[in-house]
Amino acid sequence: MNVFSRPTPEAQGLGMTSQRARDRLIARLKEEGIADRRVLDVLTRLPRHLFVEPALESRAYEDTALPIGHGQTISQPWVVARMTEALIEAKIPAKVLEIGTGSGYQAAVLAALCGTVYTVERIESLLREARKRFRKLGIENIRSKNDDGRVGWPEFAPYDAIILTAAGEEIDAALFAQLAPDGVLVAPVGPPGAQRLLSYRREGEAWKAQMLGQVSFVPLLGGVA
Ligand code: SAH
């Protein structure tokens, strides 16, 4: 069990990062259609304020994306919840691949629900901070690397689930190739301003996409930084 299954000292207080603030966020997510109890439970327990800069801690339980430096953002809680629901809907994945570690929040959510999370981030300093957070929270089932994740992480394939947290105009065939036959891939796809959150499953020889909503993610970029 990870340490965030117990309320942290600050979570027991009544400040902006308190359990009360988290509960308000959870109530809002339910209103906005998030229904999976397992996902709501993890979001209730996981201290999102530890994944943002100290100056933004007081806003950590608002349902908004927040800057994490280097022009990147921690995703909006509703989006994290919706993507996580889609990933665990059919079955709990033993192995998940995430492209775009960012703050590490989405990876930490998945680590609480799935077997092992493999996460790839192209900006080394963001990855370093994310790893510190995993350690602080006692999360031991996340493996991460600094690389261009557009081609996945073939070494540990196949994955039961793949999640992209940055948007490309299309999904590299290499990613589909690393998905288990009954696996699910969830990703924002499309140009800035017109991205759709899609959930893909194999149906015979073809990939069938389900539209989960309109979203606004940072772009999937090439190379490492
Ligand atoms: N899942 C993150 C969201 C971070 S924003 C969170 O919970 O905080 C998306 C991240 O994807 C950024 O950190 C960005 O640097 C990263 N990214 C963009 N293109 C990438 C690529 N090709 N490979 C790996 N990471 C990428």
Side-chain angles (χ1 to χ4, degrees):
M1 225 349 104
N2 301 317
V3 295
F4 63 77
S5 60
R6 299 188 298 272
T8 57
E10 55 271 49
Q12 289 162 7
L14 294 175
M16 295 304 284
T17 59
S18 69
Q19 192 63 51
R20 202 182 284 177
R22 296 186 202 185
D23 292 344
R24 269 198 302 273
L25 171 63
I26 299 307
R28 189 190 154 100
L29 294 177
K30 283 190 203 158
E31 280 165 27
E32 300 291 329
I34 303 301
D36 192 315
R37 207 49 262 170
R38 300 166 295 179
V39 175
L40 292 168
D41 281 348
V42 174
L43 266 71
T44 306
R45 301 193 322 250
L46 186 61
R48 188 168 183 258
H49 64 278
L50 299 184
F51 291 81
V52 300
E53 292 161 24
L56 292 171
E57 271 188 13
S58 65
R59 301 192 54 199
Y61 298 98
E62 293 175 16
D63 190 21
T64 50
L66 293 168
I68 55 172
H70 304 271
Q72 307 304 318
T73 54
I74 178 173
S75 305
Q76 180 193 348
W78 182 86
V79 169
V80 172
R82 191 68 197 92
M83 291 177 100
T84 307
E85 274 189 339
L87 286 184
I88 68 169
E89 193 183 344
K91 65 164 194 198
I92 293 285
K95 281 162 71 182
V96 184
L97 173 65
E98 179 193 35
I99 311 304
T101 316
S103 68
Y105 182 71
Q106 174 75 71
V109 169
L110 290 169
L113 293 163
C114 308
T116 305
V117 178
Y118 298 82
T119 183
V120 185
E121 170 57 56
R122 62 181 288 275
I123 302 177
E124 188 178 16
S125 56
L126 286 180
L127 186 59
R128 221 177 303 129
E129 292 303 310
R131 282 176 176 155
K132 276 191 214 159
R133 296 180 179 119
F134 302 151
R135 267 197 300 278
K136 183 170 180 180
L137 290 165
I139 302 170
E140 292 177 343
N141 57 334
I142 298 178
R143 301 184 72 154
S144 60
K145 73 163 173 172
N146 178 219
D147 210 342
D148 180 349
R150 287 176 305 175
V151 293
W153 195 344
E155 193 184 347
F156 299 104
Y159 301 96
D160 305 298
I162 298 180
I163 175 173
L164 282 83
T165 66
E169 304 254 344
E170 56 185 33
I171 294 161
D172 200 294
L175 288 177
F176 283 115
Q178 288 166 45
L179 199 57
D182 60 346
V184 54
L185 185 151
V186 176
V189 182
Q195 295 170 8
R196 300 184 309 154
L197 188 57
L198 299 174
S199 169
Y200 292 88
R201 282 182 181 288
R202 207 189 293 267
E203 212 163 77
E205 290 299 292
W207 289 97
K208 192 165 173 255
Q210 187 196 341
M211 156 90 162
L212 303 179
Q214 293 287 144
V215 286
S216 178
F217 274 82
V218 295
L220 191 65
L221 301 172
V224 285

